Amino acid sequence: MANKQALIQAIRGMHDILPEQSPGWHKLEKTMRAVLDSYGYQEIRLPIVEKTELFKRSIGEVTDIVEKEMYTFDDRNGDSLTLRPEGTAGCLRACMEHGLLHNQVHRLWYYGPMFRHERPQKGRYRQFYQLGVETYGMADADIDAEIIMLSDRLWRQLNIRDKLELQLNSLGTVEERNIYKSRLVEYFNQHLDVLDEDSQRRLHTNPLRILDSKNPAMREMIVGAPALMDYLGEDSRTHFEKLTDILDQQGVKYTLNPRLVRGLDYYSKTVFEWVTDELGAQGTVCAGGRYDGLIEQLGGKSNSAIGFALGMERLLALAETADGFHTDPTVDVYLIRMGEMAEKVGFQVAEQLRDALPFLKVVLHCGGGGFKSQFKKADKSGAEYAVIIGDEEAEKGLVSLKPLRSQDEQLTLTPDELVKHLQQV
Ligand code: ATP
Ligand code: MG
């Protein structure tokens, strides 16, 4: 006899979304699509695998993602490919490849799994879902305000606006940032004794990231560091002021965070994060910014771009803490049938309900069994109603409608009356 094989399990940090979890995802996806539609944003669907070079060139060699988080492999031709760790690079690649950036304006979104080899923990996975929103061809701060307001509307729709704080900063231009960087390195050099090992390394590769450090021992020293805001030129400053003016006018609350630098190299001017303190350490739900320089960096003609990415697992965890987060039921009506004739009629009635009421979720009991066991399944399904057909009823052309969640009376109806009744409830 063959040995019993060990069960193969999923890869660490890569989760199944089980049937009972799907309604929560559907609710988020439905809400997010409705909000995106209401702002006139279009969906773009992109490959999950791209050439490794694309991410190296766009995200930057000395970032956490490229240094240690990418799933990179050689395909059979020997080309180096990578499972996308984020969507901005692929979205830009596609738009450049199809000539969508030439004298055009675009408001786009994409949705799907991203892959990063991180240490799995609550709110941090190796495969996770992102909604990405990207806009191209608009240099003014009004579009910065629009995408922030779009996300703000999504939070309001999900009843979580009061659980999120909008943090804002400006990273200026590359030139402004370079001047600032050298001032910052000078400052950190005066406090070398306080810098942890990670930060000492970053001092030479990506000193801005030190501002982002969560190490409490460094907090005081970091608070005293020079602020990038003081190094902005005229253009960056006016851009930022216009953004905050619009947000003020529109009543979108925000906090200025001079230490918000974002992990990726490609940002310029506006950067923002929506953070919550209800999810423990993984508190950033949505993050984005302007990346005007990236298109040129990828070999295109200089152009404007701003976008954000939203972590769906974190959003779901937060949405579930909100009052009144309820998901649509999976089943509205569970149809029970017993007897030879009832089995046939059951099919007809179920199809008639689906024809007349396409939004009604009708489950037809399959596989036989007594009334008692069928009722148990009806109850367990969460359905509001059971429709019951026995041979006796079937012969008279009648069905019974039994409310499963209320004390209302059971009714005996013709199939047409059943449709009318269910239409009204
Ligand atoms: P973090 O600082 O948490 O690592 P990040 O700066 O790497 O975030 P982005 O690349 O800006 O994150 O991604 C945008 C959003 O995607 C994050 O704010 C978060 O909600 C989500 N996200 C990023 N990485 C993960 C992950 N490994 N698992 C789950 N969600 C993630
Ligand atoms: Mg990260």
Side-chain angles (χ1 to χ4, degrees), residues 99-160:
L100 302 189
L101 296 186
H102 187 66
N103 283 334
Q104 294 173 42
V105 161
H106 285 284
R107 291 174 163 86
L108 304 175
W109 63 273
Y110 49 81
Y111 176 69
M114 305 294 160
F115 303 83
R116 297 185 193 176
H117 196 276
E118 305 201 63
R119 197 168 65 78
Q121 52 197 290
K122 184 168 172 277
R124 190 176 291 288
Y125 311 102
R126 291 182 172 172
Q127 173 173 336
F128 59 97
Y129 282 75
Q130 275 186 348
L131 163 68
V133 170
E134 316 280 359
T135 74
Y136 302 129
M138 290 168 276
D140 196 273
D142 50 8
I143 188 67
D144 304 31
E146 180 182 283
I147 66 162
I148 288 175
M149 285 165 63
L150 181 158
S151 47
D152 181 81
R153 179 176 293 276
L154 181 57
W155 318 141
R156 281 184 284 124
Q157 299 281 325
L158 292 169
N159 228 353
I160 51 170

Side-chain angles (χ1 to χ4, degrees), residues 268-401:
S268 57
K269 291 186 178 160
T270 311
V271 286
F272 63 92
E273 284 191 2
W274 289 95
V275 298
T276 180
D277 50 21
E278 302 206 17
L279 295 180
Q282 277 23 278
T284 304
V285 171
C286 173
R290 186 167 272 283
Y291 50 96
D292 290 347
L294 181 58
I295 300 174
E296 217 168 358
Q297 201 175 310
L298 287 176
K301 215 174 116 203
S302 162
N303 205 334
S304 302
I306 179 163
F308 67 73
L310 190 174
M312 295 299 285
E313 286 80 1
R314 295 183 196 178
L315 178 64
L316 183 60
L318 189 62
E320 281 171 344
T321 68
D323 291 337
F325 182 80
H326 62 85
T327 51
D328 293 340
T330 332
V331 183
D332 297 316
V333 170
Y334 194 98
L335 201 148
I336 290 171
R337 58 210 168 118
M338 237 186 99
E340 216 172 293
M341 183 158 179
E343 294 214 345
K344 259 186 251 154
V345 173
F347 267 107
Q348 284 159 13
V349 172
E351 291 303 321
Q352 187 180 346
L353 286 176
R354 295 181 186 121
D355 284 342
L357 307 169
F359 295 107
L360 197 71
K361 295 162 184 156
V362 182
V363 167
L364 174 69
H365 179 84
C366 289
F371 267 129
K372 205 167 157 206
S373 89
Q374 294 197 36
F375 261 118
K376 254 196 203 147
K377 292 200 169 106
D379 195 43
K380 216 174 150 208
S381 76
E384 193 72 27
Y385 295 98
V387 168
I388 307 149
I389 311 178
D391 267 350
E392 214 172 290
E393 282 137 327
E395 262 160 43
K396 292 188 203 146
L398 294 172
V399 304
S400 295
L401 179 69

